[in-house]
Amino acid sequence: MTSIRPATPADADAVLHLFDDAIAWFVSIGNTGQWGSEPFSSQPRQVERVRGWVDEAGSWVAEHPDAGVVGFLALGEATEYVPAATEPELYVRVLIGSRDPRAKGTGRLLLGFADGQARAAGVDLLRVDCYAGGSGDLIRFYESCGYRPTGTFTVGAWPGQVLERSLGPAPEAEGGFTDFGVLPDEDPSPIVEA
């Protein structure tokens, strides 16, 4: 069973590997618009970003007993390129999951965990932004997890979508977070965000 624990600096290489695998998969399907075609591990700027993320409060890894680190989640303040929220929020700054079949459902698990973190902080609003190009699959993934699109933005030529989720009353869920489960036909594609 996959567990979630706080990220540490020792997780940087494993998280970089998640990004490298996602980029290789994107390149194989012709999607170089999200993060380009070069592995994060070969880009000093991206290596430093990942090292910073795993060292921040609010960063978590999903770990499978046989597959190791299969997901990464960073929660915190909204990024500077999205409109400010009109109420207190918890922002999903980074979310990525492995393509390893043993990791199926990790993105949903981490988003459910984010719900629990927001509730624990007394916050009812979660927001996330993602790549709005390509096929739109990433936006549909977030919608399937209860998020709704609220606005778009661009960073240079990179199109982005902001989505939000209002939590409302706490569900009766074991472990203090919502487990969205895995849809039967869900592809174990990486859920990628940065």
Side-chain angles (χ1 to χ4, degrees), residues 151-190:
T152 59
F153 64 94
T154 56
V155 176
W158 193 88
Q161 175 71 59
V162 179
L163 300 98
E164 70 178 38
R165 173 175 163 74
S166 294
L167 295 177
E172 298 295 325
E174 186 177 322
F177 58 90
T178 305
D179 182 356
F180 292 103
V182 179
L183 302 175
D185 60 348
E186 186 175 349
D187 180 347
S189 304

PDB file of all heavy atoms in Angstrom, residues 151-190:
ATOM      1  N   GLY A 151     -10.144  30.187 -14.338  1.00  0.00           N
ATOM      2  CA  GLY A 151      -9.509  31.208 -15.148  1.00  0.00           C
ATOM      3  C   GLY A 151      -8.286  30.658 -15.852  1.00  0.00           C
ATOM      4  O   GLY A 151      -7.780  29.596 -15.495  1.00  0.00           O
ATOM      5  N   THR A 152      -7.833  31.385 -16.848  1.00  0.00           N
ATOM      6  CA  THR A 152      -6.645  30.991 -17.595  1.00  0.00           C
ATOM      7  C   THR A 152      -5.577  32.073 -17.456  1.00  0.00           C
ATOM      8  O   THR A 152      -5.861  33.196 -17.035  1.00  0.00           O
ATOM      9  CB  THR A 152      -6.967  30.772 -19.082  1.00  0.00           C
ATOM     10  OG1 THR A 152      -7.494  31.988 -19.614  1.00  0.00           O
ATOM     11  CG2 THR A 152      -7.978  29.648 -19.269  1.00  0.00           C
ATOM     12  N   PHE A 153      -4.366  31.727 -17.828  1.00  0.00           N
ATOM     13  CA  PHE A 153      -3.245  32.661 -17.796  1.00  0.00           C
ATOM     14  C   PHE A 153      -2.198  32.154 -18.776  1.00  0.00           C
ATOM     15  O   PHE A 153      -2.303  31.022 -19.271  1.00  0.00           O
ATOM     16  CB  PHE A 153      -2.657  32.777 -16.376  1.00  0.00           C
ATOM     17  CG  PHE A 153      -2.056  31.491 -15.874  1.00  0.00           C
ATOM     18  CD1 PHE A 153      -0.703  31.229 -16.030  1.00  0.00           C
ATOM     19  CD2 PHE A 153      -2.851  30.531 -15.262  1.00  0.00           C
ATOM     20  CE1 PHE A 153      -0.152  30.029 -15.570  1.00  0.00           C
ATOM     21  CE2 PHE A 153      -2.307  29.334 -14.799  1.00  0.00           C
ATOM     22  CZ  PHE A 153      -0.958  29.090 -14.962  1.00  0.00           C
ATOM     23  N   THR A 154      -1.227  32.971 -19.060  1.00  0.00           N
ATOM     24  CA  THR A 154      -0.083  32.534 -19.855  1.00  0.00           C
ATOM     25  C   THR A 154       1.196  33.002 -19.171  1.00  0.00           C
ATOM     26  O   THR A 154       1.227  34.051 -18.527  1.00  0.00           O
ATOM     27  CB  THR A 154      -0.106  33.081 -21.297  1.00  0.00           C
ATOM     28  OG1 THR A 154      -0.185  34.502 -21.249  1.00  0.00           O
ATOM     29  CG2 THR A 154      -1.279  32.531 -22.088  1.00  0.00           C
ATOM     30  N   VAL A 155       2.216  32.189 -19.294  1.00  0.00           N
ATOM     31  CA  VAL A 155       3.565  32.552 -18.866  1.00  0.00           C
ATOM     32  C   VAL A 155       4.399  32.409 -20.126  1.00  0.00           C
ATOM     33  O   VAL A 155       4.662  31.291 -20.576  1.00  0.00           O
ATOM     34  CB  VAL A 155       4.081  31.638 -17.734  1.00  0.00           C
ATOM     35  CG1 VAL A 155       5.520  31.987 -17.394  1.00  0.00           C
ATOM     36  CG2 VAL A 155       3.204  31.727 -16.500  1.00  0.00           C
ATOM     37  N   GLY A 156       4.756  33.541 -20.729  1.00  0.00           N
ATOM     38  CA  GLY A 156       5.376  33.504 -22.048  1.00  0.00           C
ATOM     39  C   GLY A 156       4.364  32.921 -23.019  1.00  0.00           C
ATOM     40  O   GLY A 156       3.252  33.418 -23.146  1.00  0.00           O
ATOM     41  N   ALA A 157       4.724  31.817 -23.678  1.00  0.00           N
ATOM     42  CA  ALA A 157       3.801  31.147 -24.605  1.00  0.00           C
ATOM     43  C   ALA A 157       3.108  29.945 -23.955  1.00  0.00           C
ATOM     44  O   ALA A 157       2.342  29.240 -24.599  1.00  0.00           O
ATOM     45  CB  ALA A 157       4.566  30.690 -25.845  1.00  0.00           C
ATOM     46  N   TRP A 158       3.361  29.703 -22.672  1.00  0.00           N
ATOM     47  CA  TRP A 158       2.832  28.533 -21.949  1.00  0.00           C
ATOM     48  C   TRP A 158       1.424  28.832 -21.455  1.00  0.00           C
ATOM     49  O   TRP A 158       1.234  29.723 -20.623  1.00  0.00           O
ATOM     50  CB  TRP A 158       3.762  28.223 -20.789  1.00  0.00           C
ATOM     51  CG  TRP A 158       3.581  26.894 -20.120  1.00  0.00           C
ATOM     52  CD1 TRP A 158       4.171  25.726 -20.476  1.00  0.00           C
ATOM     53  CD2 TRP A 158       2.797  26.603 -18.959  1.00  0.00           C
ATOM     54  NE1 TRP A 158       3.800  24.716 -19.605  1.00  0.00           N
ATOM     55  CE2 TRP A 158       2.951  25.248 -18.667  1.00  0.00           C
ATOM     56  CE3 TRP A 158       1.964  27.372 -18.138  1.00  0.00           C
ATOM     57  CZ2 TRP A 158       2.331  24.618 -17.597  1.00  0.00           C
ATOM     58  CZ3 TRP A 158       1.338  26.756 -17.070  1.00  0.00           C
ATOM     59  CH2 TRP A 158       1.525  25.384 -16.811  1.00  0.00           C
ATOM     60  N   PRO A 159       0.410  28.097 -21.945  1.00  0.00           N
ATOM     61  CA  PRO A 159      -0.962  28.344 -21.502  1.00  0.00           C
ATOM     62  C   PRO A 159      -1.269  27.607 -20.197  1.00  0.00           C
ATOM     63  O   PRO A 159      -0.948  26.421 -20.045  1.00  0.00           O
ATOM     64  CB  PRO A 159      -1.801  27.773 -22.650  1.00  0.00           C
ATOM     65  CG  PRO A 159      -0.958  26.651 -23.185  1.00  0.00           C
ATOM     66  CD  PRO A 159       0.479  27.104 -23.018  1.00  0.00           C
ATOM     67  N   GLY A 160      -1.872  28.312 -19.259  1.00  0.00           N
ATOM     68  CA  GLY A 160      -2.200  27.699 -17.979  1.00  0.00           C
ATOM     69  C   GLY A 160      -3.676  27.816 -17.641  1.00  0.00           C
ATOM     70  O   GLY A 160      -4.376  28.694 -18.140  1.00  0.00           O
ATOM     71  N   GLN A 161      -4.123  26.916 -16.798  1.00  0.00           N
ATOM     72  CA  GLN A 161      -5.505  26.878 -16.315  1.00  0.00           C
ATOM     73  C   GLN A 161      -5.478  26.855 -14.792  1.00  0.00           C
ATOM     74  O   GLN A 161      -4.756  26.048 -14.202  1.00  0.00           O
ATOM     75  CB  GLN A 161      -6.213  25.622 -16.829  1.00  0.00           C
ATOM     76  CG  GLN A 161      -7.611  25.408 -16.291  1.00  0.00           C
ATOM     77  CD  GLN A 161      -8.600  26.397 -16.863  1.00  0.00           C
ATOM     78  OE1 GLN A 161      -8.782  26.472 -18.073  1.00  0.00           O
ATOM     79  NE2 GLN A 161      -9.224  27.179 -15.998  1.00  0.00           N
ATOM     80  N   VAL A 162      -6.250  27.725 -14.154  1.00  0.00           N
ATOM     81  CA  VAL A 162      -6.418  27.689 -12.706  1.00  0.00           C
ATOM     82  C   VAL A 162      -7.718  26.943 -12.424  1.00  0.00           C
ATOM     83  O   VAL A 162      -8.729  27.156 -13.101  1.00  0.00           O
ATOM     84  CB  VAL A 162      -6.483  29.108 -12.103  1.00  0.00           C
ATOM     85  CG1 VAL A 162      -6.683  29.044 -10.591  1.00  0.00           C
ATOM     86  CG2 VAL A 162      -5.231  29.900 -12.441  1.00  0.00           C
ATOM     87  N   LEU A 163      -7.671  26.045 -11.440  1.00  0.00           N
ATOM     88  CA  LEU A 163      -8.857  25.312 -11.011  1.00  0.00           C
ATOM     89  C   LEU A 163      -8.967  25.421  -9.504  1.00  0.00           C
ATOM     90  O   LEU A 163      -7.964  25.611  -8.812  1.00  0.00           O
ATOM     91  CB  LEU A 163      -8.773  23.835 -11.405  1.00  0.00           C
ATOM     92  CG  LEU A 163      -8.642  23.535 -12.892  1.00  0.00           C
ATOM     93  CD1 LEU A 163      -7.201  23.284 -13.273  1.00  0.00           C
ATOM     94  CD2 LEU A 163      -9.492  22.352 -13.276  1.00  0.00           C
ATOM     95  N   GLU A 164     -10.192  25.293  -8.990  1.00  0.00           N
ATOM     96  CA  GLU A 164     -10.378  25.350  -7.545  1.00  0.00           C
ATOM     97  C   GLU A 164     -11.350  24.279  -7.084  1.00  0.00           C
ATOM     98  O   GLU A 164     -12.149  23.759  -7.868  1.00  0.00           O
ATOM     99  CB  GLU A 164     -10.849  26.726  -7.089  1.00  0.00           C
ATOM    100  CG  GLU A 164     -12.249  27.083  -7.480  1.00  0.00           C
ATOM    101  CD  GLU A 164     -12.670  28.442  -6.949  1.00  0.00           C
ATOM    102  OE1 GLU A 164     -11.844  29.381  -6.916  1.00  0.00           O
ATOM    103  OE2 GLU A 164     -13.856  28.575  -6.585  1.00  0.00           O
ATOM    104  N   ARG A 165     -11.264  23.989  -5.797  1.00  0.00           N
ATOM    105  CA  ARG A 165     -12.125  22.994  -5.170  1.00  0.00           C
ATOM    106  C   ARG A 165     -12.520  23.533  -3.804  1.00  0.00           C
ATOM    107  O   ARG A 165     -11.658  23.834  -2.980  1.00  0.00           O
ATOM    108  CB  ARG A 165     -11.373  21.683  -5.030  1.00  0.00           C
ATOM    109  CG  ARG A 165     -12.081  20.603  -4.243  1.00  0.00           C
ATOM    110  CD  ARG A 165     -11.274  19.300  -4.290  1.00  0.00           C
ATOM    111  NE  ARG A 165     -11.656  18.361  -3.270  1.00  0.00           N
ATOM    112  CZ  ARG A 165     -12.781  17.642  -3.275  1.00  0.00           C
ATOM    113  NH1 ARG A 165     -13.633  17.776  -4.262  1.00  0.00           N
ATOM    114  NH2 ARG A 165     -13.046  16.801  -2.296  1.00  0.00           N
ATOM    115  N   SER A 166     -13.827  23.661  -3.567  1.00  0.00           N
ATOM    116  CA  SER A 166     -14.328  24.037  -2.255  1.00  0.00           C
ATOM    117  C   SER A 166     -14.647  22.759  -1.505  1.00  0.00           C
ATOM    118  O   SER A 166     -15.344  21.879  -2.022  1.00  0.00           O
ATOM    119  CB  SER A 166     -15.588  24.903  -2.387  1.00  0.00           C
ATOM    120  OG  SER A 166     -15.255  26.125  -2.996  1.00  0.00           O
ATOM    121  N   LEU A 167     -14.141  22.649  -0.282  1.00  0.00           N
ATOM    122  CA  LEU A 167     -14.268  21.405   0.451  1.00  0.00           C
ATOM    123  C   LEU A 167     -15.637  21.193   1.078  1.00  0.00           C
ATOM    124  O   LEU A 167     -16.134  20.074   1.105  1.00  0.00           O
ATOM    125  CB  LEU A 167     -13.185  21.318   1.528  1.00  0.00           C
ATOM    126  CG  LEU A 167     -11.773  21.234   0.991  1.00  0.00           C
ATOM    127  CD1 LEU A 167     -10.773  21.221   2.128  1.00  0.00           C
ATOM    128  CD2 LEU A 167     -11.598  20.005   0.115  1.00  0.00           C
ATOM    129  N   GLY A 168     -16.248  22.217   1.631  1.00  0.00           N
ATOM    130  CA  GLY A 168     -17.529  22.018   2.297  1.00  0.00           C
ATOM    131  C   GLY A 168     -17.359  21.163   3.545  1.00  0.00           C
ATOM    132  O   GLY A 168     -16.261  21.038   4.089  1.00  0.00           O
ATOM    133  N   PRO A 169     -18.439  20.516   3.996  1.00  0.00           N
ATOM    134  CA  PRO A 169     -18.359  19.695   5.218  1.00  0.00           C
ATOM    135  C   PRO A 169     -17.386  18.531   5.046  1.00  0.00           C
ATOM    136  O   PRO A 169     -17.251  17.978   3.967  1.00  0.00           O
ATOM    137  CB  PRO A 169     -19.789  19.170   5.395  1.00  0.00           C
ATOM    138  CG  PRO A 169     -20.644  20.049   4.552  1.00  0.00           C
ATOM    139  CD  PRO A 169     -19.780  20.565   3.443  1.00  0.00           C
ATOM    140  N   ALA A 170     -16.736  18.174   6.136  1.00  0.00           N
ATOM    141  CA  ALA A 170     -15.765  17.076   6.116  1.00  0.00           C
ATOM    142  C   ALA A 170     -16.459  15.750   5.868  1.00  0.00           C
ATOM    143  O   ALA A 170     -17.487  15.466   6.472  1.00  0.00           O
ATOM    144  CB  ALA A 170     -15.001  17.023   7.435  1.00  0.00           C
ATOM    145  N   PRO A 171     -15.899  14.921   4.961  1.00  0.00           N
ATOM    146  CA  PRO A 171     -16.471  13.594   4.728  1.00  0.00           C
ATOM    147  C   PRO A 171     -16.066  12.635   5.833  1.00  0.00           C
ATOM    148  O   PRO A 171     -15.116  12.886   6.572  1.00  0.00           O
ATOM    149  CB  PRO A 171     -15.850  13.181   3.396  1.00  0.00           C
ATOM    150  CG  PRO A 171     -14.521  13.854   3.407  1.00  0.00           C
ATOM    151  CD  PRO A 171     -14.749  15.181   4.114  1.00  0.00           C
ATOM    152  N   GLU A 172     -16.762  11.550   5.927  1.00  0.00           N
ATOM    153  CA  GLU A 172     -16.401  10.487   6.862  1.00  0.00           C
ATOM    154  C   GLU A 172     -15.440   9.558   6.142  1.00  0.00           C
ATOM    155  O   GLU A 172     -15.832   8.573   5.541  1.00  0.00           O
ATOM    156  CB  GLU A 172     -17.657   9.724   7.304  1.00  0.00           C
ATOM    157  CG  GLU A 172     -18.652  10.577   8.037  1.00  0.00           C
ATOM    158  CD  GLU A 172     -18.116  11.087   9.371  1.00  0.00           C
ATOM    159  OE1 GLU A 172     -17.365  10.349  10.038  1.00  0.00           O
ATOM    160  OE2 GLU A 172     -18.438  12.227   9.721  1.00  0.00           O
ATOM    161  N   ALA A 173     -14.164   9.913   6.152  1.00  0.00           N
ATOM    162  CA  ALA A 173     -13.169   9.115   5.432  1.00  0.00           C
ATOM    163  C   ALA A 173     -12.109   8.623   6.396  1.00  0.00           C
ATOM    164  O   ALA A 173     -11.656   9.353   7.260  1.00  0.00           O
ATOM    165  CB  ALA A 173     -12.510   9.942   4.328  1.00  0.00           C
ATOM    166  N   GLU A 174     -11.722   7.388   6.232  1.00  0.00           N
ATOM    167  CA  GLU A 174     -10.657   6.818   7.048  1.00  0.00           C
ATOM    168  C   GLU A 174      -9.352   7.539   6.748  1.00  0.00           C
ATOM    169  O   GLU A 174      -9.048   7.846   5.607  1.00  0.00           O
ATOM    170  CB  GLU A 174     -10.520   5.330   6.709  1.00  0.00           C
ATOM    171  CG  GLU A 174      -9.542   4.622   7.611  1.00  0.00           C
ATOM    172  CD  GLU A 174      -9.462   3.147   7.305  1.00  0.00           C
ATOM    173  OE1 GLU A 174     -10.512   2.540   7.001  1.00  0.00           O
ATOM    174  OE2 GLU A 174      -8.357   2.613   7.370  1.00  0.00           O
ATOM    175  N   GLY A 175      -8.592   7.831   7.770  1.00  0.00           N
ATOM    176  CA  GLY A 175      -7.286   8.459   7.582  1.00  0.00           C
ATOM    177  C   GLY A 175      -7.345   9.964   7.470  1.00  0.00           C
ATOM    178  O   GLY A 175      -6.338  10.612   7.304  1.00  0.00           O
ATOM    179  N   GLY A 176      -8.547  10.562   7.558  1.00  0.00           N
ATOM    180  CA  GLY A 176      -8.657  12.009   7.571  1.00  0.00           C
ATOM    181  C   GLY A 176      -8.561  12.674   6.216  1.00  0.00           C
ATOM    182  O   GLY A 176      -8.462  13.872   6.129  1.00  0.00           O
ATOM    183  N   PHE A 177      -8.575  11.931   5.123  1.00  0.00           N
ATOM    184  CA  PHE A 177      -8.549  12.566   3.813  1.00  0.00           C
ATOM    185  C   PHE A 177      -9.423  11.781   2.858  1.00  0.00           C
ATOM    186  O   PHE A 177      -9.736  10.627   3.080  1.00  0.00           O
ATOM    187  CB  PHE A 177      -7.124  12.723   3.264  1.00  0.00           C
ATOM    188  CG  PHE A 177      -6.360  11.437   3.136  1.00  0.00           C
ATOM    189  CD1 PHE A 177      -6.411  10.708   1.967  1.00  0.00           C
ATOM    190  CD2 PHE A 177      -5.577  10.969   4.178  1.00  0.00           C
ATOM    191  CE1 PHE A 177      -5.707   9.530   1.844  1.00  0.00           C
ATOM    192  CE2 PHE A 177      -4.873   9.787   4.055  1.00  0.00           C
ATOM    193  CZ  PHE A 177      -4.941   9.069   2.888  1.00  0.00           C
ATOM    194  N   THR A 178      -9.834  12.437   1.831  1.00  0.00           N
ATOM    195  CA  THR A 178     -10.687  11.820   0.832  1.00  0.00           C
ATOM    196  C   THR A 178      -9.828  10.994  -0.104  1.00  0.00           C
ATOM    197  O   THR A 178      -8.837  11.475  -0.619  1.00  0.00           O
ATOM    198  CB  THR A 178     -11.415  12.906   0.007  1.00  0.00           C
ATOM    199  OG1 THR A 178     -12.111  13.746   0.915  1.00  0.00           O
ATOM    200  CG2 THR A 178     -12.365  12.300  -0.980  1.00  0.00           C
ATOM    201  N   ASP A 179     -10.216   9.760  -0.348  1.00  0.00           N
ATOM    202  CA  ASP A 179      -9.539   8.933  -1.337  1.00  0.00           C
ATOM    203  C   ASP A 179     -10.457   8.885  -2.550  1.00  0.00           C
ATOM    204  O   ASP A 179     -11.518   8.295  -2.511  1.00  0.00           O
ATOM    205  CB  ASP A 179      -9.305   7.528  -0.788  1.00  0.00           C
ATOM    206  CG  ASP A 179      -8.565   6.637  -1.773  1.00  0.00           C
ATOM    207  OD1 ASP A 179      -8.306   7.095  -2.907  1.00  0.00           O
ATOM    208  OD2 ASP A 179      -8.259   5.503  -1.414  1.00  0.00           O
ATOM    209  N   PHE A 180     -10.052   9.556  -3.620  1.00  0.00           N
ATOM    210  CA  PHE A 180     -10.886   9.610  -4.808  1.00  0.00           C
ATOM    211  C   PHE A 180     -10.948   8.272  -5.518  1.00  0.00           C
ATOM    212  O   PHE A 180     -11.747   8.071  -6.397  1.00  0.00           O
ATOM    213  CB  PHE A 180     -10.354  10.667  -5.789  1.00  0.00           C
ATOM    214  CG  PHE A 180     -10.510  12.059  -5.284  1.00  0.00           C
ATOM    215  CD1 PHE A 180      -9.436  12.748  -4.774  1.00  0.00           C
ATOM    216  CD2 PHE A 180     -11.741  12.677  -5.294  1.00  0.00           C
ATOM    217  CE1 PHE A 180      -9.578  14.033  -4.311  1.00  0.00           C
ATOM    218  CE2 PHE A 180     -11.893  13.968  -4.833  1.00  0.00           C
ATOM    219  CZ  PHE A 180     -10.808  14.644  -4.338  1.00  0.00           C
ATOM    220  N   GLY A 181     -10.083   7.348  -5.147  1.00  0.00           N
ATOM    221  CA  GLY A 181     -10.064   6.063  -5.825  1.00  0.00           C
ATOM    222  C   GLY A 181      -9.470   6.180  -7.214  1.00  0.00           C
ATOM    223  O   GLY A 181      -8.981   7.216  -7.611  1.00  0.00           O
ATOM    224  N   VAL A 182      -9.537   5.112  -7.946  1.00  0.00           N
ATOM    225  CA  VAL A 182      -9.010   5.080  -9.306  1.00  0.00           C
ATOM    226  C   VAL A 182     -10.141   4.636 -10.219  1.00  0.00           C
ATOM    227  O   VAL A 182     -10.833   3.669  -9.936  1.00  0.00           O
ATOM    228  CB  VAL A 182      -7.831   4.088  -9.409  1.00  0.00           C
ATOM    229  CG1 VAL A 182      -7.309   4.034 -10.820  1.00  0.00           C
ATOM    230  CG2 VAL A 182      -6.736   4.485  -8.441  1.00  0.00           C
ATOM    231  N   LEU A 183     -10.337   5.369 -11.269  1.00  0.00           N
ATOM    232  CA  LEU A 183     -11.341   4.986 -12.235  1.00  0.00           C
ATOM    233  C   LEU A 183     -10.885   3.730 -12.952  1.00  0.00           C
ATOM    234  O   LEU A 183      -9.701   3.560 -13.226  1.00  0.00           O
ATOM    235  CB  LEU A 183     -11.566   6.119 -13.244  1.00  0.00           C
ATOM    236  CG  LEU A 183     -11.996   7.451 -12.628  1.00  0.00           C
ATOM    237  CD1 LEU A 183     -12.059   8.513 -13.715  1.00  0.00           C
ATOM    238  CD2 LEU A 183     -13.312   7.317 -11.926  1.00  0.00           C
ATOM    239  N   PRO A 184     -11.802   2.800 -13.273  1.00  0.00           N
ATOM    240  CA  PRO A 184     -11.396   1.524 -13.875  1.00  0.00           C
ATOM    241  C   PRO A 184     -10.572   1.667 -15.143  1.00  0.00           C
ATOM    242  O   PRO A 184      -9.690   0.872 -15.410  1.00  0.00           O
ATOM    243  CB  PRO A 184     -12.715   0.832 -14.168  1.00  0.00           C
ATOM    244  CG  PRO A 184     -13.732   1.513 -13.335  1.00  0.00           C
ATOM    245  CD  PRO A 184     -13.215   2.894 -13.063  1.00  0.00           C
ATOM    246  N   ASP A 185     -10.839   2.685 -15.947  1.00  0.00           N
ATOM    247  CA  ASP A 185     -10.126   2.833 -17.222  1.00  0.00           C
ATOM    248  C   ASP A 185      -9.013   3.893 -17.137  1.00  0.00           C
ATOM    249  O   ASP A 185      -8.506   4.327 -18.136  1.00  0.00           O
ATOM    250  CB  ASP A 185     -11.096   3.191 -18.335  1.00  0.00           C
ATOM    251  CG  ASP A 185     -11.841   4.486 -18.077  1.00  0.00           C
ATOM    252  OD1 ASP A 185     -11.786   5.009 -16.939  1.00  0.00           O
ATOM    253  OD2 ASP A 185     -12.492   4.986 -19.009  1.00  0.00           O
ATOM    254  N   GLU A 186      -8.641   4.263 -15.917  1.00  0.00           N
ATOM    255  CA  GLU A 186      -7.649   5.330 -15.755  1.00  0.00           C
ATOM    256  C   GLU A 186      -6.264   4.849 -16.167  1.00  0.00           C
ATOM    257  O   GLU A 186      -5.797   3.796 -15.755  1.00  0.00           O
ATOM    258  CB  GLU A 186      -7.630   5.775 -14.299  1.00  0.00           C
ATOM    259  CG  GLU A 186      -6.743   6.960 -14.078  1.00  0.00           C
ATOM    260  CD  GLU A 186      -6.838   7.468 -12.659  1.00  0.00           C
ATOM    261  OE1 GLU A 186      -7.725   7.042 -11.919  1.00  0.00           O
ATOM    262  OE2 GLU A 186      -6.001   8.291 -12.304  1.00  0.00           O
ATOM    263  N   ASP A 187      -5.604   5.643 -16.972  1.00  0.00           N
ATOM    264  CA  ASP A 187      -4.232   5.400 -17.398  1.00  0.00           C
ATOM    265  C   ASP A 187      -3.316   5.813 -16.251  1.00  0.00           C
ATOM    266  O   ASP A 187      -3.525   6.847 -15.649  1.00  0.00           O
ATOM    267  CB  ASP A 187      -3.969   6.282 -18.626  1.00  0.00           C
ATOM    268  CG  ASP A 187      -2.582   6.137 -19.186  1.00  0.00           C
ATOM    269  OD1 ASP A 187      -1.701   5.552 -18.523  1.00  0.00           O
ATOM    270  OD2 ASP A 187      -2.358   6.639 -20.289  1.00  0.00           O
ATOM    271  N   PRO A 188      -2.285   5.035 -15.932  1.00  0.00           N
ATOM    272  CA  PRO A 188      -1.373   5.437 -14.874  1.00  0.00           C
ATOM    273  C   PRO A 188      -0.399   6.502 -15.346  1.00  0.00           C
ATOM    274  O   PRO A 188       0.760   6.519 -14.955  1.00  0.00           O
ATOM    275  CB  PRO A 188      -0.657   4.131 -14.517  1.00  0.00           C
ATOM    276  CG  PRO A 188      -0.653   3.362 -15.783  1.00  0.00           C
ATOM    277  CD  PRO A 188      -1.967   3.699 -16.472  1.00  0.00           C
ATOM    278  N   SER A 189      -0.863   7.408 -16.192  1.00  0.00           N
ATOM    279  CA  SER A 189      -0.013   8.478 -16.699  1.00  0.00           C
ATOM    280  C   SER A 189       0.399   9.390 -15.553  1.00  0.00           C
ATOM    281  O   SER A 189      -0.313   9.511 -14.573  1.00  0.00           O
ATOM    282  CB  SER A 189      -0.794   9.315 -17.727  1.00  0.00           C
ATOM    283  OG  SER A 189      -1.266   8.498 -18.743  1.00  0.00           O
ATOM    284  N   PRO A 190       1.520  10.043 -15.692  1.00  0.00           N
ATOM    285  CA  PRO A 190       1.925  10.931 -14.623  1.00  0.00           C
ATOM    286  C   PRO A 190       0.976  12.123 -14.557  1.00  0.00           C
ATOM    287  O   PRO A 190       0.570  12.670 -15.568  1.00  0.00           O
ATOM    288  CB  PRO A 190       3.331  11.376 -15.035  1.00  0.00           C
ATOM    289  CG  PRO A 190       3.354  11.230 -16.510  1.00  0.00           C
ATOM    290  CD  PRO A 190       2.439  10.073 -16.810  1.00  0.00           C
TER     291      PRO A 190
END
